[in-house]
Structures are given as C-alpha cells and as structure tokens.
Amino acid sequence: MEIDSRAQQLERLLLEREVEQFLYKEAQLLDDRRFSEWIELIADDIHYFMPQRRNVKFGEQYREHSDPESEISWFDEGKATLAGRVRQINTGVHWAEEPFSRVRHIISNIQIEDVQGDEVKVRSNFFVYTNRLKDEVNLFVGTRHDVLRRDADTAWKVAKRTIILDQNVLLAKAITTFF
Amino acid sequence: MVAQIRHSHSERSLRHLVDLEHGQISREIYVNDDVYRQEQEQIFARAWLFVGHETLVPNPGDFFQSRMGEEDVLLVRDRKGQIHVFLNTCRHRGMKVCRYDDGNTLVFTCPFHGWTYGTDGQLVAVPNEESTYHGELDKAAWGLHEVAQLCNFYGSIWATWDAGAPSFEDYLGPFSEGIRRCFQSSDGRDNGVEVFKPPYKWYIPTNWKLPAFSFDGDMAHGAMTHQSINTAAIGPQGELGGGGRHGLRAAFPKTEYEFCSAELGHGGHNPIFELPGVPPYVETWQTAPGVDDYYRRTREEQAKRFADQYLHGGGGCVWPNAIVQPQRILLKHPAGVGRTESWRLYPVDKDAPKLVKDAQRRYMMRYGGPAGLTESDDMENWNYASRASLGTIARRLPYNFQMGLGHAFSDDRVPGITLNNRTAEENQRARLRRWVEFMEAGSWDDIYPMKQT
Ligand code: FES
Ligand SMILES: [Fe+2]
C-alpha cells in the first residue's frame, strides 16, 4: 500500500477536524433547543432512518434491521416530516416535550469512511441522555451512518442519516428527540 | 358472590371500587398489585386475545414471537401448514424454547438441555433419552403447551387459554361484522390484507387499562392532547385543508356514535348510515402521487360489492386489550401493574402495488407508535396520569367516568349495540362493566350472556 504523502495526511486531518466540529455543533444546537437552526443543517433530500432491530438467529443478521423498502421502522422520513417535528415542538403544546426535556448528545468514535466529491461518509456513535420532569430518564445509545454534503450556506448539510439504536422493544415511552 | 381483592388490606369489594351507576371508578384498580394478579387469572387466562396475522407466518416452519397477557407465545405454521399458538416455555425446566422475534425453523431446540419440539409442538427428541430416562419418558405428554382454542378470523389470529370460552364469533357478538371488515382489502374482499413487519413494541410506564380502555373510548382527549399535530401536517393530503392528521373523506349521510356492546365490553366510534353502500372517494393522497388512482378504483369495487348493504358499525376495542381499526391494530399487554408493553401492527391491502404500500407505511410511521408525531403525546398523558394516581391521598379520589352517563340509547338498525354521543364515556363504562364481570366470574358460564338466554 502506498503511503500517503504528508500533504495528503494533513488534508485528511483537516477534513476530519472539520467534520467533527460540524457534528458537535449540530448536537449542540439540539441540546440548546435551537431546532429551527438545526433543521437548516438538514438537506432537502435527506433520508432520516432509524430501523427497528430484531432478535435473529445466527447467520440471519442481514435481516436484523427493518428494511426501509418494505418494513416498519422507528423513523423513515424526509425533510418535510422532520420539519413538521420541529414546528410541532415549537408550538409549546406538544405535551411529550412540554415542558422541554433536558437532552444531552454525546457524539464520539467519529470516523470518515469515504469521500466522494463534495460528499463525505461519516460514522459516529451517540449517547443521548434525556431527563424529563422530575425523574424520567432515557438512555439512547447507538451508532449513526451519515452522508454529509458540502454546502455554500451552512458549510455542511446532513444528506443521509441512518441511526442504529441499540434496543429491541423500545425502553422509552416515546422518542421526541432528534439524533 | 361479590369478589374481593385477594389479600387486600382494604377488603373492599370490586363493585365498591367500580361504581358504574355514578360513573366513579377507584384509582385503586389501576395501581393495586393484587388486582393486577387477579386480572391475569380472571381476564388474560380466559379472554380471546389477539396473537397475530396469518401473513406473519406465510410458509411452513415460519414462526413469530407474540404475547398473550404477560406471557410470550409462539405463533407457528407447522410443516404441514397448520397454524398453532404455543406458550414459549420448555416443559422440562421452563427455558424459552425460542428467543428470536421471527424466522423459519425445522424444530425448536431448547438451549438449556436440548429438548427438541417440532413445529406442531410435539416433543420429538430428548438428548440421551434411552440412557437417562430408561425409555420411560412419555414424550407425547410433554409437548409445548398449546392454547385451548385458536381462531383464524379472516386472516387475523386469536386465541384463548380457556376451553370453556364461546367461539370467537360469539365472543365478538354484534362486533363480528365490523371487525371482519377491518381485515378486508379496501375493495371489500375478505382476507384482503397483510401486516407490515415488524410490529412496534414499546414500554409505557402505566397500567394497561389506562391506554387499553381509553383508546377508541376517549374522543374527548383529541382536541387537547393532539393540539400540536396540525402544524406538522402529517396527513396524506399534507398542508391541504389545514394540515389535519387524518385523510380527507367525502360527506355521506351518516352519524358517528360511541358504539359499544354493553354486555360484551367491545366498543369503538362507528357510523350508522342513512344510505346503503359506501361513501364516494375523495382525493386525499396529494403528498404521494398515484396512490389516489389505486384507492379510487378499489372504492369503486367496494361500492359495487356493497351497493345494497348498510355498512353500519366498524372496528374498535375487542375486549380486553386489542384495538382493531382499518389499517391499524393496537395491543396493550400487561407487563406489571405499572407497566404496559404496547404493540402496533399495520395491515395494508395485500394486492396493492408497492407505491401504495410504501405511502401507507410511511403515513403510519409518522402518525403512530412511540416516535409517531400524533401518539407521542398520548404516551405522555397516559404515563403521568398513572403516576399521579399513586399517592395515598390521590388513591382516595375516584376517576370521573360520567360523560354521557344516563344518555345511552339504542337503534333497531344496530341490534345489540349501545349508542351514545360520539364524545362520551359509554365505551369506557362498557369495558369497566365487563371488567367487573370477568374479575368476579367463576367460569365462562357466568359471563356469557347469550348463552344464558
Ligand atoms: S429447560 Fe428446556 S431442556 Fe431443560
Ligand atoms: Fe390520542
């Protein structure tokens, strides 16, 4: 294998750094409840997808995740629905988020998997802690597969996001946060 | 005899806790452990329960992990094609014989000591049987425990542990036709739907009765609970007409009522029609081009099929915990006195093109379940209503079920049905009345009114 030149390594490092900073900033907008700014970071053609996860027999892992082509997933939507969620949460009468939950996104293990033109495939892990009213606590842990696209206005936009949540029966009574 | 809450310090009778005459129901029945235990025996070991749909197990050897009450059951199509429902527990030491959500198998081999069961439930192999049991094990007597009765009702699978229960159709009584139609395709053919996989499954920290008895029984909650939904415009028509969450429907001469069987406990929100046939089709899939073409055509076929019939009635809660409506099924499984395992399954026309199935599926995903824009707000209210009823003082206060009390009526066009205003609490009172009867009954003979007349 050819060893990358110093310049290539440096370029890669800068890209990684830039992508990390974008993902941190995105998470911070959510935690700070700046949903209207967050939705600006979402591409118009996004596929926002969180499959359900089955318990399957060894050798059948290919069907562990619900299929976006034919099955029922926790989220399987585009920008119109995501934007609807943002409008809903901003009404002040979306009782599942009124009063707001306290939400913290911990994003880690960020790895760039591929670069194609102005698109970058990035994988990251998440630990989302939500704390609601007095003592309702939910932990959402999993991994994300993103495609980020360079954008003139916002530097990057999320063009595709697959969220793999490490749960079978959902342990939370509802999911009213973004990942 | 009036049943007592067993071992309860209060020693109050259930009739005392459920005062239907005055519409006052003690919160105790939602929070008391002894009541909950008694429900498992008196209700869930006796009632007909929804287990699944035949399209979840289309091929020989297919299985689907389901649930009846608190317990896991396997819906299995055996190698010969017959459908069974078994308790998912090994007859040796109780291990779950199957821990997969679904799949296809030749046998169920217990992971503890290896007892092996056929898809028909027979115990077919025990390791070292000859040397350890000396050929004395009566394998025929130790197969998987099967339900006492199973009914394939137009493709939907229902079961009961009680051999004394009436047939499922009799159990449904006047709801039989309405529930049947929920399993027709939109053109009106029986066995016309399949069910999307996998079901939504999630826990709600609330007693099972709060959501099970509210759903399709509580029209009054909509305006308040779902106040925020129109802004998201999740309906098939999108922003059109104010962004409502339901599709657009044609005006048709009918009146919608709370529509229940006071005797059997089933209830929904259903119409009585002034005209025979079905309402004309109205374009509503503005967000998914092409879908209207399909549903317009199936509506025309349905109209031909039912041209002379009055299609009064419809779906609703099949007592105790299965809410069956066209294109959506909701199950509220008890999972501890303060916890419910909630399931949602979505039927769709089996023969619809992919375009239609996809649009229908996406609409259901954004509408319902714990991540659905509409139903997340239901979870919040069901949860905290339950929590706030736990306190010593709170428990002394009954819930108010007086809406429409004393204003029920009947109509010859729907025999056996009790009606009330569309927004009332008649359906919930019917479920609670049935609840008391089940909790007190010694056997099915005490609680099947049709049998006694
Ligand atoms: S518990 Fe199943 S073989 Fe022993
Ligand atoms: Fe609701």
Side-chain angles (χ1 to χ4, degrees):
Chain A
M1 211 180 95
E2 222 174 290
I3 297 169
D4 287 352
S5 72
R6 186 87 184 152
Q8 281 171 318
Q9 287 178 359
L10 214 56
E11 200 185 320
R12 178 80 176 193
L13 201 64
L14 287 172
L15 179 65
E16 281 170 4
R17 181 79 177 155
E18 199 186 331
V19 162
E20 280 172 17
Q21 290 305 310
F22 172 77
L23 293 177
Y24 295 155
K25 178 180 130 195
E26 189 211 343
Q28 193 187 328
L29 287 177
L30 290 174
D31 294 347
D32 292 348
R33 301 153 182 164
R34 290 155 67 184
F35 304 109
S36 306
E37 290 168 66
W38 175 78
I39 197 74
E40 293 299 314
L41 303 181
I42 303 299
D44 290 341
D45 60 344
I46 189 172
H47 182 220
Y48 184 84
F49 176 57
M50 183 196 278
Q52 294 198 76
R53 301 185 69 185
R54 288 183 174 88
N55 295 305
V56 291
K57 196 169 154 53
F58 181 83
E60 295 181 16
Q61 279 75 21
Y62 64 90
R63 56 180 209 93
E64 179 177 359
H65 298 165
S66 56
D67 179 0
E69 283 302 310
S70 61
E71 296 189 317
I72 298 286
S73 301
W74 296 122
F75 296 95
D76 187 350
E77 61 199 45
K79 187 162 185 184
T81 305
L82 275 178
R85 291 181 188 276
V86 168
R87 291 198 300 275
Q88 183 183 31
I89 219 168
N90 283 335
T91 58
V93 289
H94 178 25
W95 308 118
E97 280 300 327
E98 173 55 32
F100 279 135
S101 302
R102 289 161 285 273
V103 179
R104 200 63 58 195
H105 288 70
I106 314 293
I107 306 296
S108 77
N109 304 51
I110 300 170
Q111 285 176 299
I112 293 184
E113 294 185 321
D114 194 19
V115 182
Q116 294 284 346
D118 60 353
E119 290 193 343
V120 185
K121 260 179 87 177
V122 192
R123 182 162 176 177
S124 57
N125 290 354
F126 62 86
F127 186 118
V128 177
Y129 168 85
T130 72
N131 176 294
R132 167 149 201 76
L133 294 177
K134 283 161 73 174
D135 57 3
E136 183 182 339
V137 170
N138 288 300
L139 308 176
F140 300 97
V141 179
T143 196
R144 302 187 303 191
H145 301 268
D146 289 345
V147 174
L148 304 182
R149 188 184 298 145
R150 284 208 179 274
D151 184 86
D153 295 336
T154 57
W156 295 94
K157 279 204 183 347
V158 184
K160 192 170 180 347
R161 172 159 289 169
T162 297
I163 306 144
I164 307 297
L165 178 68
D166 295 332
Q167 295 186 23
N168 174 251
V169 179
L170 187 76
L171 300 175
K173 74 183 200 299
I175 313 180
T176 47
T177 187
F178 300 96
F179 293 90
Chain B
M1 197 193 88
V2 172
Q4 301 287 317
I5 301 173
R6 288 173 199 161
H7 320 298
S8 164
H9 53 276
S10 69
E11 294 298 330
R12 285 178 298 170
S13 76
L14 291 174
R15 299 247 160 184
H16 183 92
L17 298 174
V18 181
D19 178 0
L20 287 161
E21 205 183 320
H22 300 100
Q24 297 191 19
I25 311 301
S26 168
R27 301 182 186 203
E28 200 69 27
I29 71 164
Y30 296 86
V31 297
N32 183 299
D33 261 310
D34 297 317
V35 170
Y36 178 79
R37 295 289 4 135
Q38 193 171 330
E39 285 174 337
Q40 303 317 307
E41 287 188 26
Q42 295 286 111
I43 297 173
F44 291 97
R46 188 176 271 165
W48 279 96
L49 302 172
F50 180 91
V51 178
H53 192 269
E54 62 183 13
T55 58
L56 292 167
V57 288
N59 302 307
D62 282 352
F63 64 88
F64 170 79
Q65 183 103 229
S66 189
R67 191 173 165 127
M68 290 172 69
E70 287 186 310
E71 294 173 282
D72 291 332
V73 297
L74 290 167
L75 171 63
V76 187
R77 191 182 289 268
D78 73 20
R79 308 306 301 180
K80 294 193 186 117
Q82 196 190 328
I83 291 177
H84 302 265
V85 175
F86 303 114
L87 195 66
N88 186 2
T89 184
C90 180
R91 297 295 304 280
H92 178 233
R93 208 65 91 241
M95 178 62 190
K96 283 180 83 161
V97 296
C98 177
R99 291 162 305 142
Y100 309 119
D101 292 340
D102 57 14
N104 183 280
T105 193
L106 284 170
V107 289
F108 296 103
T109 299
C110 177
F112 201 167
H113 313 89
W115 283 28
T116 296
Y117 304 87
T119 50
D120 59 359
Q122 293 299 310
L123 179 59
V124 291
V126 170
N128 307 312
E129 187 190 345
E130 277 311 306
S131 60
T132 54
Y133 289 91
H134 311 281
E136 292 161 7
L137 179 65
D138 179 7
K139 290 217 291 294
W142 292 93
L144 291 176
H145 185 57
E146 189 159 8
V147 292
Q149 298 186 61
L150 181 149
C151 178
N152 183 336
F153 189 71
Y154 300 102
S156 59
I157 308 296
W158 302 76
T160 170
W161 297 112
D162 195 331
S167 74
F168 183 60
E169 291 203 19
D170 286 346
Y171 182 87
L172 288 178
F175 268 79
S176 179
E177 274 305 299
I179 297 296
R180 170 184 173 178
R181 286 206 296 276
C182 295
F183 296 103
Q184 289 173 346
S185 46
S186 54
D187 58 7
R189 275 178 299 139
D190 280 329
N191 293 64
V193 294
E194 64 187 18
V195 164
F196 286 120
K197 290 191 273 194
Y200 279 142
K201 301 179 189 175
W202 74 105
Y203 292 118
I204 319 176
T206 190
N207 183 265
W208 69 276
K209 292 190 292 303
L210 211 97
F213 287 13
S214 295
F215 211 97
D216 221 341
D218 180 13
M219 201 50 89
H221 86 290
M224 190 65 196
T225 294
H226 300 303
Q227 222 181 122
S228 68
I229 189 63
N230 282 16
T231 183
I234 62 165
Q237 71 282 12
E239 305 281 352
L240 203 77
R245 65 188 189 274
H246 302 296
L248 305 176
R249 288 163 210 174
F252 196 67
K254 63 170 183 182
T255 313
E256 296 245 356
Y257 299 101
E258 278 226 321
F259 190 105
C260 61
S261 165
E263 281 178 318
L264 300 173
H266 318 308
H269 289 88
N270 290 317
I272 292 182
F273 290 104
E274 303 303 334
L275 286 176
V278 299
Y281 189 72
V282 166
E283 308 276 304
T284 188
W285 287 91
Q286 282 78 2
T287 56
V291 176
D292 278 321
D293 296 338
Y294 173 79
Y295 281 124
R296 196 186 314 108
R297 184 159 41 76
T298 58
R299 179 67 60 87
E300 281 162 14
E301 283 171 40
Q302 190 197 25
K304 264 183 245 159
R305 189 167 269 120
F306 299 119
D308 312 321
Q309 289 181 46
Y310 285 86
L311 300 184
H312 309 309
C317 177
V318 176
W319 204 87
N321 68 336
I323 295 93
V324 178
Q325 299 165 322
Q327 298 167 332
R328 41 193 116 177
I329 294 167
L330 177 69
L331 307 172
K332 295 293 176 187
H333 303 290
V337 64
R339 194 161 79 137
T340 301
E341 187 173 321
S342 199
W343 286 32
R344 249 198 178 298
L345 293 108
Y346 297 107
V348 66
D349 283 10
K350 217 183 274 184
D351 298 334
K354 181 166 164 36
L355 171 91
V356 171
K357 286 184 185 175
D358 285 350
Q360 189 67 41
R361 187 169 54 91
R362 296 206 175 101
Y363 173 39
M364 289 301 120
M365 287 189 286
R366 61 184 188 263
Y367 187 105
L373 281 86
T374 307
E375 294 184 353
S376 59
D377 286 325
D378 289 315
M379 306 313 151
E380 180 78 2
N381 286 329
W382 292 334
N383 176 23
Y384 284 103
S386 189
R387 284 284 298 275
S389 300
L390 278 172
T392 304
I393 306 302
R395 279 196 207 197
R396 294 178 191 164
L397 305 174
Y399 286 147
N400 180 311
F401 282 87
Q402 295 173 336
M403 197 187 299
L405 183 67
H407 297 274
F409 54 97
S410 60
D411 188 307
D412 291 342
R413 292 172 291 180
V414 287
I417 294 291
T418 297
L419 300 167
N420 206 317
N421 284 350
R422 186 161 177 269
T423 302
E425 288 168 347
E426 204 62 43
N427 289 353
Q428 299 191 68
R429 286 190 292 271
R431 290 174 210 181
L432 287 159
R433 186 174 301 113
R434 197 61 173 150
W435 183 86
V436 174
E437 287 173 2
F438 264 70
M439 291 290 273
E440 291 183 351
S443 78
W444 257 105
D445 290 338
D446 302 336
I447 46 175
Y448 190 56
M450 283 62 174
K451 216 172 187 169
Q452 286 157 4
T453 53

